[in-house]
Amino acid sequence: MKELTREVEIKNKLGLHARPAARLVQVANRFSSDIMVKSGDDEVNAKSIMGILMLAAAQGSRLKVRVRGQDAEPALDAIVSLVENKFEEE
């Protein structure tokens, strides 16, 4: 099974608050792969809104996204694109 990892930086002004967290979870749930997001020592399931909100990632935070499964590549690309596009907020 394929496993991919990439690091991304939160660029939007308000960081990973409720709206972008919800968008991230929506995107993650489109894929069958396991998607984990790590910030500092905390690693959470990207398909869990509560987990993502618990990261409390501010602007400038670096997240490590780890994806494992059959659709790992498109899943990772979608998550990274969402973060790099500031969660389509700005």
Side-chain angles (χ1 to χ4, degrees), residues 33-44:
S33 290
D34 293 327
I35 305 171
M36 302 299 290
V37 178
K38 185 174 184 174
S39 178
D41 293 332
D42 298 323
E43 185 173 49
V44 299

Side-chain angles (χ1 to χ4, degrees), residues 6-11 37-40 57-65:
R6 200 169 313 156
E7 196 169 287
V8 291
E9 182 180 341
I10 301 293
K11 297 177 183 176
V37 178
K38 185 174 184 174
S39 178
Q59 183 181 31
S61 296
R62 298 200 63 76
L63 303 178
K64 190 173 200 176
V65 183

Side-chain angles (χ1 to χ4, degrees), residues 9-55:
E9 182 180 341
I10 301 293
K11 297 177 183 176
N12 56 316
K13 291 177 192 166
L14 299 175
L16 197 52
H17 62 93
R19 221 170 335 186
R23 286 285 300 130
L24 194 150
V25 171
Q26 285 174 343
V27 170
N29 277 300
R30 294 191 333 223
F31 300 95
S32 63
S33 290
D34 293 327
I35 305 171
M36 302 299 290
V37 178
K38 185 174 184 174
S39 178
D41 293 332
D42 298 323
E43 185 173 49
V44 299
N45 185 335
K47 297 179 181 183
S48 163
I49 186 74
M50 291 306 293
I52 295 297
L53 287 170
M54 283 178 26
L55 292 177

